[in-house]
Amino acid sequence: MFMRERTTNSSVEAAYDDYLMPIWKSLNVPVERASGCTLEDFDGNEYLDVFSGISVTNVGHNNEAVVEAATEQLEEFVHGCSYVHPNRPVADLAETIAEVTPGVLQKSFFCNSGTEAVEGAIKLARKYTGSKEVISLEMGFHGRTLGSLALTGNRAYKQDMAPTINDVAHTAPPYAYRCPRCDGDTCGADCADALERVIGSHTSGDLAAVVVEPVMGEAGIVVPSEAWLKRVRDIAHDHGALLIADEVQTGYGRTGELFATEHFGVEPDILTQAKGIANGLPLGAFTAPAEIADAFGSGDHLSTFGGNPVACAAALATIEELQNGIIDNARENGEWLSAELATLESDYDVVGEARGLGLMQGIELVDPETTGPQHVAPAPDKDLAAAVGEHLREESNVVMGVGGYYKNVMRFQPPLTISQAQLGEAVDALRAALDDLA
């Protein structure tokens, strides 16, 4: 057995450069260990994590109950292919998801990731409806495999990857801050009527599904109105199509409810899940009512590793932890954070808008001297956002995501266990960065 040199931040990053395909993005925080809302790198530096691995570790890094559940299952067995050998963790998780998801969603398919969940949901919608066409939102994000990439409404993710699957069209998002029709007011049912125009102009009348994120994460924490989402659902149903709610990023307590659709009184026909479902273990799922789910027959869909019993055991523990006060914490601290970010919007001209639900919040950074796209709102300032993210890490040891369609949104998506004091630390660090850079 050969001896490795002492691991450092630089040695890990060098290994990534040498042996991983060059697609990884560095936040300059290699991780050796993590606990709660804290990351520690290989050089002993500690960071407050308000990004949680892209909205994944919802019940906190290294959550004791989740680790215990996964360890107990590891000691029993790791794999038998859950679609060949029925086992208790998969059965229990499927039953639990049927109990906690909105409406009459009952039967789940387990996979390994969000993009697989979206791909499977499209297949199920096509099988059930007998139709082929799908509509999603401009600026939306649904994954990077070819089917979900086709739904993603952002050229940055698709460049050099075309062609993707056919029969996909896009409609306008409920991005009120930059909506030429609303000019900062709420996008309501009238804006949702754009979907009718897209169906009439860009489809052949063979619509299987409309896919939406209840809160658009990669678009920049864009929150629709209840009227907008209900109108989209009604239009989809009027055309014999299903509404697929992509809750990969918004699910499992992130917005202050177990699922974000609960804020809007909308029950989806298919609901996709991943990210926070097992607190970091690879697991995804899509869930549908029995009538829709039973359109699948034996062999229509499968996954060798989907429904891994260790990941399912972790997911069961995650849901229990969420229901034991963590979702309440997300809701209460989310209200506090929303007020704090609204104050930043008032105090700084470069903060164009603060928005979000629960602990899925963001501020959009802008150049107040320049008009933005379609002559609506000030221009996005992605350079300032990148500089603020670096300032947070280097000066305050705070890890915060930078995203949005225009790459100008600072994203608060911490573990839902975060305390108000820790959130205050992150807000203070953000204010200090704006003072220094804006």
Side-chain angles (χ1 to χ4, degrees):
M1 184 175 179
F2 63 89
M3 297 292 293
R4 292 186 184 273
E5 63 180 15
R6 185 180 74 86
T7 303
T8 63
N9 290 345
S10 58
S11 69
V12 171
E13 292 185 327
Y16 264 58
D17 287 336
D18 289 343
Y19 303 112
L20 271 74
M21 293 186 186
I23 58 173
W24 66 286
K25 297 180 179 180
S26 178
L27 288 175
N28 297 316
V29 183
V31 176
E32 182 175 23
R33 61 180 58 88
S35 178
C37 300
T38 303
L39 306 175
E40 184 178 335
D41 67 17
F42 292 91
D43 296 338
N45 302 301
E46 289 192 352
Y47 297 83
L48 175 62
D49 180 16
V50 293
F51 197 36
S52 57
I54 316 182
S55 198
V56 169
T57 52
N58 287 8
V59 299
H61 291 287
N62 208 30
N63 178 282
E64 184 177 347
V66 175
V67 171
E68 182 179 347
T71 301
E72 288 179 358
Q73 182 56 43
L74 277 167
E75 292 172 348
E76 296 295 330
F77 70 98
V78 175
H79 173 77
C81 185
S82 294
Y83 295 109
V84 175
H85 299 289
N87 60 78
R88 190 81 249 176
V90 171
D92 286 350
L93 179 58
E95 183 177 0
T96 298
I97 288 176
E99 292 170 352
V100 301
T101 47
V104 295
L105 301 175
Q106 180 180 341
K107 294 189 176 184
S108 293
F109 180 93
F110 294 116
C111 49
N112 307 285
S113 65
T115 192
E116 290 175 70
V118 172
E119 296 263 0
I122 296 169
K123 287 180 66 175
L124 178 58
R126 285 178 160 184
K127 186 74 187 296
Y128 175 75
T129 63
S131 297
K132 299 295 182 288
E133 295 171 320
V134 182
I135 294 175
S136 57
L137 302 184
E138 296 169 353
M139 302 186 182
F141 180 83
H142 301 283
R144 296 175 187 267
T145 51
L146 288 179
S148 54
L149 188 63
L151 300 178
T152 293
N154 189 332
R155 183 179 66 183
Y157 297 111
K158 298 181 180 183
Q159 206 150 8
D160 301 323
M161 301 299 172
T164 56
I165 65 170
N166 297 323
D167 298 324
V168 173
H170 293 84
T171 190
Y175 192 1
Y177 181 64
R178 296 193 180 279
C179 177
R181 183 171 186 169
C182 295
D183 195 15
D185 291 334
T186 301
C187 282
D190 289 347
C191 288
D193 284 338
L195 177 59
E196 283 281 16
R197 177 183 57 77
V198 172
I199 292 171
S201 302
H202 298 284
T203 76
S204 65
D206 190 36
L207 188 62
V210 177
V211 185
V212 300
E213 300 164 83
V215 177
M216 300 176 71
E218 298 303 307
I221 321 295
V222 174
V223 184
S225 68
E226 181 176 329
W228 184 92
L229 191 55
K230 285 183 173 179
R231 181 65 179 138
V232 167
R233 174 204 58 196
D234 292 345
I235 292 171
H237 288 176
D238 288 346
H239 289 270
L242 303 183
L243 177 68
I244 299 175
D246 182 348
E247 294 241 26
V248 167
Q249 192 166 150
T250 56
Y252 292 93
R254 173 55 52 191
T255 64
E257 297 289 348
L258 193 59
F259 295 99
T261 48
E262 297 175 70
H263 289 281
F264 307 102
V266 172
E267 297 176 3
D269 300 302
I270 305 176
L271 186 147
T272 67
Q273 307 133 68
K275 288 192 182 292
I277 188 173
N279 208 49
L281 275 74
L283 185 66
F286 57 98
T287 306
E291 178 187 346
I292 295 173
D294 288 346
F296 268 171
S298 178
D300 278 344
H301 204 53
L302 199 65
S303 171
T304 299
F305 296 110
N308 173 268
V310 178
C312 288
L316 282 163
T318 297
I319 293 171
E320 185 173 354
E321 288 285 282
L322 287 167
Q323 293 177 322
N324 286 339
I326 292 177
I327 293 177
D328 295 335
N329 187 68
R331 186 184 306 114
E332 293 163 8
N333 279 337
E335 291 173 358
W336 181 87
L337 177 61
S338 181
E340 291 293 309
L341 297 185
T343 300
L344 290 183
E345 181 183 334
S346 298
D347 290 349
Y348 295 91
D349 290 343
V350 296
V351 178
E353 185 177 54
R355 53 182 180 253
L357 286 174
L359 288 177
M360 186 175 184
Q361 304 265 352
I363 60 167
E364 179 158 354
L365 300 184
V366 299
D367 176 358
E369 303 300 321
T370 308
T371 304
Q374 301 183 83
H375 303 288
V376 178
D381 195 336
K382 68 176 184 179
D383 293 336
L384 176 59
V388 167
E390 182 177 355
H391 189 286
L392 288 168
R393 293 190 302 274
E394 299 299 323
E395 302 298 329
S396 302
N397 282 29
V398 173
V399 175
M400 184 178 296
V402 180
Y405 181 80
Y406 298 104
K407 297 180 174 58
N408 67 321
V409 176
M410 308 306 301
R411 296 165 59 176
F412 280 81
Q413 294 171 284
L416 307 183
T417 54
I418 196 167
S419 68
Q420 193 173 110
Q422 289 172 314
L423 276 176
E425 180 184 336
V427 172
D428 288 345
L430 181 55
R431 184 178 286 275
L434 292 173
D435 285 340
D436 286 352
L437 299 170

